[in-house]
Every structure is written in C-alpha cells, then in structure tokens.
Amino acid sequence: QVQLVESGGGLVQAGGSLSVSCAASGSFFSINAMGWYRQAPGKQRELVATISSVGSTNYADSVKGRFTISRDNAKNTVALQMKSLKPEDTAVYYCNADIKPAKWLRERSYWGQGTQVTVSS
C-alpha cells in the first residue's frame, strides 16, 4: 500500500519562512513527478509547484521566487521551502506523486492527507 506522509507546516507570521516535506512509503516500482498543491477555505485546490524525476521544476506564478521545491530520489521525499510568506498563502498543503505501484501496473496519482499552513498578518 503506497502512502504519502506529510510533515511540517504550522503557524508563521507574514514575511516568515516555513517548510513542508513528504515521504512516500510502502511498496512501489517507481515515482515520476512529485508536487505540492494547496486548498484554501472556500477555494479549489491549486497547483503550487511540481518537480519531475530528473529535477525539472514548475511553479505557480503566485509563489515564484518565494517557494522552492526539491526532492531526494534516494529517500523518496519531496520538500517545499516557503519564504516571504503572505496571509494569502494560508491553506492546507497536499503532497502529490505519480507512482507506478508495480512494473506491470499503470502509473497513478497519490495524495497525502494534507498539512495546514497558516500565515498571520
């Protein structure tokens, strides 16, 4: 059973920094892209950043220059470093990964349980 387990998050003042991380556990064949999404109250879930298996990154315009996504393929982890945080960054942050559970199975998307990030003004 593949699981994505997030850690980090919490409460920080505007202008501060925070990190969230996610580890894939269980049995699987390979991990392709990994990423972070967020969902604020009353809003749809939106992409924050993604990183490919070879390290190519993509960011939402709203976080470019402030957030950095990274991954450790040996540890099956992905992290998001967040700087210059704004109140509008407040949301539940979800880890996502495209994982092939077994060699003979199709890749599918997995989600973590979410971790709260709150930025106070």
Side-chain angles (χ1 to χ4, degrees), residues 7 36 48 58 62 69 93 98 102 106:
S7 59
W36 290 93
V48 176
N58 178 54
S62 60
I69 189 171
Y93 283 69
D98 294 330
R106 289 184 176 182

Side-chain angles (χ1 to χ4, degrees), residues 34-56:
M34 303 183 82
W36 290 93
Y37 290 72
R38 67 187 181 186
Q39 187 167 18
K43 295 187 176 181
Q44 289 189 328
R45 191 173 297 188
E46 63 176 6
L47 180 146
V48 176
T50 61
I51 184 167
S52 73
S53 58
V54 295
S56 297

Side-chain angles (χ1 to χ4, degrees), residues 2-64:
V2 179
Q3 279 191 314
L4 297 179
V5 180
E6 296 138 343
S7 59
L11 174 64
V12 66
Q13 288 189 331
S17 300
L18 207 58
S19 292
V20 290
S21 60
C22 171
S25 64
S27 178
F28 48 86
F29 179 72
S30 64
I31 302 177
N32 195 355
M34 303 183 82
W36 290 93
Y37 290 72
R38 67 187 181 186
Q39 187 167 18
K43 295 187 176 181
Q44 289 189 328
R45 191 173 297 188
E46 63 176 6
L47 180 146
V48 176
T50 61
I51 184 167
S52 73
S53 58
V54 295
S56 297
T57 58
N58 178 54
Y59 295 92
D61 287 343
S62 60
V63 307
K64 280 181 182 177

Side-chain angles (χ1 to χ4, degrees), residues 63-93:
V63 307
K64 280 181 182 177
R66 300 188 298 121
F67 290 12
T68 301
I69 189 171
S70 61
R71 67 187 284 173
D72 185 331
N73 290 336
K75 296 181 179 179
N76 298 317
T77 59
V78 61
L80 185 70
Q81 292 183 309
M82 302 176 284
K83 298 179 180 179
S84 302
L85 282 160
K86 305 174 182 179
E88 50 263 43
D89 294 318
T90 296
V92 177
Y93 283 69

